[in-house]
Each structure stands twice: as structure tokens, then as C-alpha cells.
Amino acid sequence: MSGPIIEAQDLRFTYTNAEGVTPIVLDGVSLDIEEGSFVAVLGHNGSGKSTLAKHLNAILLPTGGKVYVAGMDTADQQKLLSIRSTVGMVFQNPDNQIVANVVEEDVAFAPENLGVPSEEIRRRVDEALAMVGMSQYATHAPHLLSGGQKQRVAIAGVIAMRPRCVVLDEPTAMLDPIGRKEVLGTIARLNREYGTTVVLITHHMDEAAQADRLVVMSKGHVIADGPPRTVFQDVEGLKAVGLTVPETTQLLWQLRQAGCDVPLDALSDEECAQVLSDFLTA
Amino acid sequence: MALKDITLGQYFPGNTPIHRLDPRTKILLTLYYIVALFTAEFLLTYALMFLALASGIAISKVGAKTILRGMKPVVLIVVITALLNLFYTPGTPILSFWIFTLTVEGIWAAFFMTVRILMLITGTFLLTYTTSPILLTDGIESLLGPLKKVRVPVHELAMMMSIALRFIPTLIEETDKIMSAQKARGADFETGNLFQKARALVPLLVPLFISAFRRADELAVAMECRCYHGGEGRTRMRQLKYTRADWAVIVLGLLGCIAITVMGHFGL
């Protein structure tokens, strides 16, 4: 891990909606994202997490404060293409991100836009499809694929740009459990095997628990930031902003409420079982 | 109504010499063919054109049945055109009743008009049957390339075409979904006269339009995230290349087209 790839400094964002009201969506968010890390951003609807995501590759520009991507100011129009090819973005609905009617043509879209030579595009497309495990579908029509497969094609379409960081804005929200598992597996591999920085925006606790670092947002503020097992220990704090905790933490927390002396930092099912068995045998 | 059966410019994948031709060659050839068809005058030229078309179909292995099935939607137009030509061509009358007069010239005119329309449709079908939509748009973009110099937004038009093709299945699926949802709430799409049926479509079209706009908005953001900034400096993964066969076909096609025009001029 070497230095932050994304730096947000006192980021503020407001806009005027149709009724003339000016809600403050982001209110002084400061956040450094280290290269190679896996960060989950957790928050309720309206917490500002998607707005934050859109600031990370200059889809939205801050109304106050600054965002730097690999040292480039996102407000700098000259650097727009380098910013967007450094930080790739995957959205909720795979149907609305796929441009072409053949899988490999779609994956080629971003490198084509960047003016990469043909043979190099071919290489990148094959590589990106292999990374998401979709090589055998290269010549298929996207509308015949399952939701999870489509979302993996969308991820391939982004990694074909060779971004150093990928931001995923609730990529599993429209998928069935199988599709969710496929996509989460792909994201984890992207981070561990290829060293890509991953920022996962989500409202699923168990997805957030997989990250190295967890940022919790509420009402435009960052209210907690740290390793998931530390953040989830503040059960009351999370409940106060309308979030739940993973089932394992919930169980241990309720036991503590009932007067049992169990630690709260067991996240996986195995860890939790171990903690319980230790407690019962002690 | 099975919306999923609707196909537009249906493509039959294959690996025949016709499939392998560059899409630009096929588009040019189709244009020659249309020009020749309208300059052809009489039996000999039509026979030659028919021979060319038939050999094209045979090589492409599309099959006569598929071609005939494709004709169905245009039968009515062909029949009406034939009838109009049959009775409203001035000339030597053979038979006359009420306001209709059957003439020798009319019979010939109706015959040629029918042949012309059917051959025109078959020829263009052969193009779409043997060329994938994406290659077709690439071909059109490349052929119209010179127009960029006079500020025609060729790249943008081709992009719009390929996105439209990409979203046809998605929107059809969505239409099916909205229809089921509205039927579940008691909407009736099947009964009533033409006006009632048209009015019944309103609760279908309004949500469809709203969702299409929302999709367009999301797609635009996703395209920007993938560094789309118009056609400038854009490269392509698959590059179109004319092979020797393409050049041979282009030259032969042009010669054939000229020959037919000349023969037509001499009334053959």
C-alpha cells in the first residue's frame, strides 16, 4: 500500500431541487483512500454515499472542498479523461451500463474511447473477460445473460480501462442471491489478486464486513471509519442512524445485554461459533 | 401478443462467402442492385438480375423458406400496387367493366412492378440476414465517413443506431413487464375497436417512456464514466478490412450495374 489514490478534503455538495430547497448532501467529508485497499462505504438511503461516489471520478464536482485523484484535482477539466480512466465506476443496474449488443464489443468500449490501438484493445478485452470469469460468453448478446453475469460484464467493461481504482455503487442491489455472490467474489478477486483499489458503496452489512476498512455515512457526514470489526462494535451508534449490524455481532451484542461477558469483534460465522464455545466452556 | 417474436433486421449467423464479405462491400452491392433494379426494363435484364439474386441467396444458405416468410408483411402493399397498375395503366384495352379497364400494358406494368418490389425486398433482406447489426452500423459509419468533412455527425448517428439496436430487446422485455402489471390491475389491451385499443395503450406507453428516459440518463453517465467523448480520437477493436474478394465483388457489381443500365436503355 502506497499513499492515497483518492483524497477528499472537506468535501461539500449542495444543489437546488425543483421545489427551490437546497439540501446539503455532503457536509464536510474528508477521506483518504489508500492505493490497493478495499474500502466499503455504508449508509442508509439519503446518507450521501452515492453522491460521494459520484465525486470520486468527476461525475459531480464539489460545491466546496476538493477531491484529488492520484494527485489530480477533479475540478480540472483538462484532466477529465485521465481521472476517469484512473477511477472506474460501476452502477446498480447492469442493463443501463452496457452499450453494445455483443459482450466483447461492450468491454472494448472504454479502451476504444481512450484511443488504444486495436491489437492492444483485443488483449485488454480478453484479459478483462478472464478476470471476471466471462471469457466463454465473449460473443454472446448481453440481454440473454443473467443479472450477475451482466454485472460482471459491466465490471469487465470498466477494468478494460486498466483503472487503479474501481468504485462500485450498490452493484448487487438488483441481483438475486446467486448473482450477488458472483459479483462479490469478482470484486474480492479484483482487489486481492490484481491489487486494484476497491470502493464498495453498499447498504448490506455482510458485504461491508468483507472490506479492510469501513466508512459509515449518515446525513452527509462520516460518522465512523475503521476496520469492520471495530466499527461494528458500536452497535448502539449504528442503530441510532438506522443501520443494523451483521447477525453475528447482533447475537453477541444481545448476549452482552443479557449480562454474558462475550467479546463483540467476531464477524464471521466461524469466529462467532468459536467465541460462543469459548464462553460456554470457560 | 407475443412481443418477444418481433425481430428487426434479423440476422442469421453463418460462415458463407457472403457472410465473410466486408459489410461495406455488401452495402455498396445492395445499392448497385437497387439502382440496377430501377433501370432494368424488360425480360432479359430482369432475368439477369434474378439470376444474380438467386445465386446470392444460394451461396448465403439463408434458405428460400426464410425469404418467403420475410415477405409476409409486404404482401398487402404488393397486391395493392399490382391492382393499381393493372387497371390504371392507359393502353390497349382488353376487358372493361364499370370503372375498371384492363389493358395489355397494365398487365405488363403490374407484373414488372410486383417483380421489382419483391426483388427489392429480397435483396435488402439478404443484406440484413447475412450481416450482424453491429457490422452493419460500422459499415455505414465507415462509408459515410467522408461526410464528416461537411459536418455531418456520422459517428453520433452510428452510435445512436447501435444503442437503439442494443436497447430493443431490453425495452421489449420492459413492455412485457408493464403490460403484465397493468393487466393485473385490470387493464384491457385485447378487446374493443381500434380507438379503444389505441386508448388502452396510454397506460402502457407513459411508464415505458418514463423508464426509457431514466435509462438514457443512466446510460449517458455510465458512458461518460467509460471516457466516452464523441468520435474524436476513438479507435476500434474490430477494424474493417477490404480483402481481394471484396474488391473483386465491388468491381464486378459495378460493371454489372452499368451493363444492366445500358441494356435497359436499349429496351432489353
Side-chain angles (χ1 to χ4, degrees):
Chain A
M1 292 193 192
S2 56
I5 176 138
I6 296 174
E7 294 174 72
Q9 295 172 356
D10 194 31
L11 174 59
R12 284 162 202 282
F13 183 76
T14 61
Y15 67 98
T16 308
N17 65 17
E19 283 97 52
V21 190
T22 342
I24 298 166
V25 188
L26 293 175
D27 190 7
V29 174
S30 292
L31 196 65
D32 284 1
I33 290 168
E34 301 296 318
E35 178 125 44
S37 60
F38 183 170
V39 181
V41 178
L42 188 65
H44 222 267
N45 288 340
S47 61
K49 59 187 195 308
S50 282
T51 310
L52 174 66
K54 289 199 175 86
H55 278 86
L56 303 183
N57 73 344
I59 290 295
L60 290 176
L61 293 176
T63 39
K66 288 278 177 202
V67 179
Y68 294 99
V69 169
M72 298 174 281
D73 186 345
T74 56
D76 186 352
Q77 281 292 322
Q78 303 290 317
K79 302 235 168 73
L80 197 62
L81 285 187
S82 355
I83 290 168
R84 291 197 176 147
S85 58
T86 308
V87 177
M89 181 96 88
V90 177
F91 297 94
Q92 210 178 71
N93 188 344
D95 268 329
N96 298 350
Q97 303 173 61
I98 295 175
V99 187
N101 48 10
V102 180
V103 168
E104 59 177 14
E105 294 280 343
D106 184 73
V107 178
F109 182 70
E112 285 178 342
N113 289 333
L114 291 168
V116 174
S118 309
E119 313 83 63
E120 171 69 12
I121 297 178
R122 183 76 253 174
R123 244 195 320 278
R124 286 192 187 193
V125 167
D126 293 341
E127 189 189 271
L129 283 173
M131 272 163 89
V132 300
M134 289 293 291
S135 299
Q136 70 269 43
Y137 296 98
T139 54
H140 282 229
H143 71 273
L144 299 176
L145 302 175
S146 75
Q149 290 172 328
K150 278 190 238 182
Q151 195 61 289
R152 276 150 69 200
V153 170
I155 294 174
V158 166
I159 56 184
M161 293 193 291
R162 301 251 170 94
R164 285 158 69 188
C165 176
V166 175
V167 178
L168 302 105
D169 190 358
E170 303 200 38
T172 61
M174 303 191 71
L175 306 180
D176 58 11
I178 299 167
R180 258 183 77 185
K181 226 172 143 186
E182 284 172 17
V183 169
L184 288 174
T186 308
I187 295 169
R189 257 189 348 144
L190 202 61
N191 178 251
R192 284 191 200 114
E193 287 173 30
Y194 300 93
T196 311
T197 313
V198 170
V199 178
L200 176 65
I201 314 283
T202 181
H203 60 248
H204 284 291
M205 304 306 135
D206 43 339
E207 287 180 11
Q210 294 186 5
D212 309 328
R213 177 179 164 198
L214 177 58
V215 174
V216 184
M217 291 195 63
S218 177
K219 294 178 185 154
H221 295 274
V222 171
I223 57 161
D225 185 353
R229 59 183 72 234
T230 319
V231 172
F232 282 133
Q233 285 186 40
D234 180 21
V235 180
E236 282 97 347
L238 290 175
K239 285 192 188 239
V241 297
L243 291 167
T244 53
V245 292
E247 283 169 343
T248 46
T249 316
Q250 175 73 22
L251 172 66
L252 296 173
W253 182 71
Q254 278 178 335
L255 285 172
R256 269 177 90 101
Q257 297 297 96
C260 306
D261 182 30
V262 286
L264 271 180
D265 63 349
L267 267 185
S268 68
D269 295 354
E270 290 77 18
E271 282 174 321
C272 182
Q274 187 61 46
V275 164
L276 290 177
S277 99
D278 289 350
F279 174 71
L280 292 172
T281 50
Chain B
M1 182 152 61
L3 281 168
K4 278 183 184 142
D5 298 339
I6 297 176
T7 45
L8 248 153
Q10 203 177 34
Y11 166 59
F12 292 97
N15 194 20
T16 67
I18 296 217
H19 282 86
R20 280 198 300 270
L21 281 180
D22 189 284
R24 291 170 294 183
T25 311
K26 283 186 268 187
I27 295 170
L28 282 177
L29 213 59
T30 311
L31 288 178
Y32 293 161
Y33 173 80
I34 293 171
V35 170
L37 205 56
F38 280 92
T39 53
E41 276 292 324
F42 213 62
L43 280 178
L44 181 61
T45 39
Y46 271 109
L48 285 174
M49 296 288 297
F50 185 76
L51 205 66
L53 181 64
S55 46
I57 294 171
I59 297 170
S60 72
K61 292 187 184 152
V62 169
K65 242 188 210 163
T66 325
I67 299 271
L68 288 178
R69 216 178 317 130
M71 295 290 177
K72 254 192 217 156
V74 290
V75 166
L76 190 68
I77 299 172
V78 173
V79 169
I80 292 174
T81 321
L83 285 177
L84 285 177
N85 273 291
L86 204 56
F87 294 112
Y88 289 99
T89 310
T92 332
I94 317 174
L95 201 69
S96 184
F97 60 94
W98 192 33
I99 54 166
F100 300 109
T101 316
L102 190 64
T103 63
V104 183
E105 285 79 1
I107 294 173
W108 281 118
F111 172 69
F112 281 120
M113 197 40 95
T114 310
V115 169
R116 195 175 268 176
I117 295 177
L118 291 180
M119 280 172 71
L120 179 72
I121 292 163
T122 317
T124 44
F125 273 179
L126 195 57
L127 173 69
T128 55
Y129 281 157
T130 60
T131 320
S132 78
I134 204 153
L135 279 177
L136 209 54
T137 31
D138 278 6
I140 292 170
E141 182 174 358
S142 166
L143 280 176
L144 296 180
L147 289 180
K148 278 180 194 160
K149 289 208 178 80
V150 288
R151 301 243 179 122
V152 177
V154 174
H155 164 76
E156 284 73 11
L157 288 174
M159 194 62 173
M160 276 154 61
M161 254 177 83
S162 65
I163 289 178
L165 285 168
R166 145 78 185 86
F167 275 90
I168 286 171
T170 310
L171 291 180
I172 286 177
E173 215 172 276
E174 183 126 315
T175 313
D176 256 351
K177 232 185 260 173
I178 298 172
M179 261 182 140
S180 310
Q182 302 290 40
K183 272 186 198 160
R185 298 182 209 171
D188 181 7
F189 295 111
E190 265 105 37
T191 55
N193 61 31
L194 198 63
F195 288 105
Q196 283 164 329
K197 271 189 186 166
R199 277 194 59 179
L201 286 180
V202 173
L204 176 69
L205 292 178
V206 171
L208 189 64
F209 267 92
I210 291 173
S211 116
F213 278 115
R214 206 191 52 235
R215 278 179 196 282
D217 192 35
E218 279 182 33
L219 183 72
V221 173
M223 282 169 75
E224 284 202 322
C225 282
R226 289 163 78 186
C227 298
Y228 182 68
H229 56 285
E232 211 176 306
R234 201 162 186 268
T235 48
R236 300 308 307 269
M237 174 170 72
R238 196 207 316 256
Q239 279 173 320
L240 299 177
K241 251 189 226 120
Y242 288 119
T243 60
R244 215 171 285 166
D246 284 305
W247 287 117
V249 170
I250 289 173
V251 172
L252 282 177
L254 186 61
L255 290 177
C257 177
I258 293 169
I260 296 279
T261 314
V262 171
M263 285 164 80
H265 193 71
F266 289 108
L268 285 166

